[in-house]
Amino acid sequence: MAEPIRVVVTGAAGQIAYSLLYSIAKGDVFGKDQPIILILLDIPPMLPVLDGVVMELQDCALPLLREVIPTDKVEVGFKDIDAAILVGSMPRKEGMERKDLLKANVAIFKTQGAALDKYAKKTVKVLVVGNPANTNCLIASKSAPSIPKENFSCLTRLDHNRACSQVAMRCGVSSNNVKNVIIWGNHSSTQYPDVHHAKVNVGGAEKAAYDAVKNDAWLRGDFISTVQQRGAAVIKARKLSSAMSAAKAICDHMRDIWFGTKEVSVCRKEIKL
Ligand code: NAX
């Protein structure tokens, strides 16, 4: 069996991490034969919570999980890591100005970027989830100049999955029959879900999304607003923000970065030939 890889998840005591850690530890992201050392990073007041998460991971008795290391120190968290999933960030509190939120997050992602630069493997793949994800990702990348900038990406896959699923449900097919959906913009209500290049496989025949859906008004109206406002709708219903679906999207995103997508694999093969 392969040598274990080291994977850090920040915000590890939070609600997304609670779903995410289990999926990573059971092999959904890095492969079913890839042993893993999981490092759980959070802030000092959350260390007792992390102890509970560690106990639960141990109690899952997962064969791929070789070690779990809880910590509040970046020098421990980022040491020799192969993959970093940066979920933890400062949430917007009541009465907080956008600039105050940005200031708090700049400090977090500068520190974590510098720690990646100093302690992580140069091949590390970094996925930023904590919002504002695009800005935080840019800051982390700029603070880690010795790591190639293409190793950094941030999460838009949840919006992508939401869009694919909406189209799939409309067409009565499963979501893996929908491809080439694009999300333009930030992970916010100003994003633009774009299906102009999307294809849907209906009963074995690949069709343009507009031909498969056969409802242009829906695609131009409710489809877009549903995807744009899905996060708010989940909060309204659950009284908590998306966690299970966010964790699934993180897994999809990191797995595709790690292994490549089907289309990319085909391209690579073609280049080799
Ligand atoms: P939680 O509040 O449940 O958990 C966040 C955790 O991060 C807490 O345990 C907190 O102590 C920790 N934390 C804060 N500062 C930290 C630091 N400097 N180092 C390490 N840990 C730190 O939030 P959760 O629901 O898990 O969401 C986490 C983040 O994901 C939020 O910023 C949220 O906005 C963002 N999301 C981003 C999405 C995207 O598509 N880009 C979708 C899902 C999610 O909303």
Side-chain angles (χ1 to χ4, degrees):
M1 208 174 224
E3 281 296 300
I5 54 166
R6 295 174 73 88
V7 179
V8 65
V9 174
T10 74
Q15 58 149 1
I16 292 177
Y18 195 70
S19 294
L20 174 65
L21 292 166
Y22 172 64
S23 295
I24 297 174
K26 75 179 176 48
D28 288 356
V29 179
F30 300 100
K32 300 287 179 198
D33 52 3
Q34 176 59 66
I36 287 175
I37 297 171
L38 260 182
I39 301 126
L40 315 186
L41 181 72
D42 212 296
I43 52 177
M46 301 308 282
L47 284 178
V49 178
L50 278 190
D51 286 341
V53 178
V54 172
M55 282 189 259
E56 283 215 69
L57 281 166
Q58 290 167 344
D59 296 348
C60 287
L62 295 161
L64 292 175
L65 189 58
R66 292 299 153 85
E67 197 181 346
V68 189
I69 305 169
T71 184
D72 59 354
K73 294 182 179 53
V74 286
E75 60 274 26
V76 177
F78 293 104
K79 181 88 185 129
D80 290 335
I81 50 159
D82 299 280
I85 304 179
L86 309 184
V87 182
S89 70
M90 173 67 76
R92 193 166 183 173
K93 294 177 192 147
E94 224 178 323
M96 205 174 188
E97 296 274 339
R98 204 169 181 80
K99 67 174 180 349
D100 299 327
L101 180 74
L102 277 174
K103 211 169 163 187
N105 280 304
V106 166
I108 292 173
F109 286 87
K110 254 188 162 174
T111 306
Q112 294 186 353
L116 281 164
D117 201 53
K118 194 164 173 194
Y119 302 111
K121 288 185 182 158
K122 299 302 168 200
T123 50
V124 65
K125 301 287 186 293
V126 184
L127 166 54
V128 178
V129 178
N131 279 319
N134 307 37
T135 311
N136 292 341
C137 185
L138 181 69
I139 293 163
S141 167
K142 293 270 180 208
S143 308
S146 69
I147 297 168
K149 64 178 186 306
E150 57 269 26
N151 290 18
F152 287 79
S153 57
C154 68
L155 191 74
T156 315
R157 186 63 172 262
L158 177 53
D159 307 288
H160 177 269
N161 285 353
R162 285 167 173 165
C164 287
S165 189
Q166 287 296 320
V167 170
M169 286 190 289
R170 270 274 149 171
C171 298
V173 299
S174 55
S175 58
N176 59 335
N177 287 302
V178 182
K179 66 175 191 184
N180 298 352
V181 169
I182 302 170
I183 304 291
W184 299 98
N186 285 308
H187 169 67
S188 76
S189 58
T190 58
Q191 67 176 270
Y192 181 71
D194 177 359
V195 294
H196 285 95
H197 303 278
K199 299 265 187 287
V200 185
N201 192 316
V202 187
E206 199 167 87
K207 298 181 176 180
Y210 273 86
D211 297 335
V213 170
K214 295 191 201 100
N215 188 338
D216 292 12
W218 179 77
L219 276 175
R220 293 205 175 100
D222 282 356
F223 162 69
I224 292 175
S225 56
T226 300
V227 176
Q228 286 174 332
Q229 287 153 28
R230 191 65 158 185
V234 169
I235 292 175
K236 195 169 171 227
R238 222 171 73 87
K239 316 286 179 252
L240 283 169
S241 56
S242 310
M244 176 172 46
S245 54
K248 162 66 166 54
I250 294 168
C251 292
D252 290 345
H253 178 132
M254 186 51 107
R255 193 184 53 245
D256 285 351
I257 293 279
W258 197 259
F259 290 110
T261 61
K262 274 183 206 152
E263 282 78 5
V264 170
S265 308
V266 171
C267 289
R268 284 201 188 123
K269 252 189 224 153
E270 280 168 2
I271 288 164
K272 264 188 208 161
L273 289 171

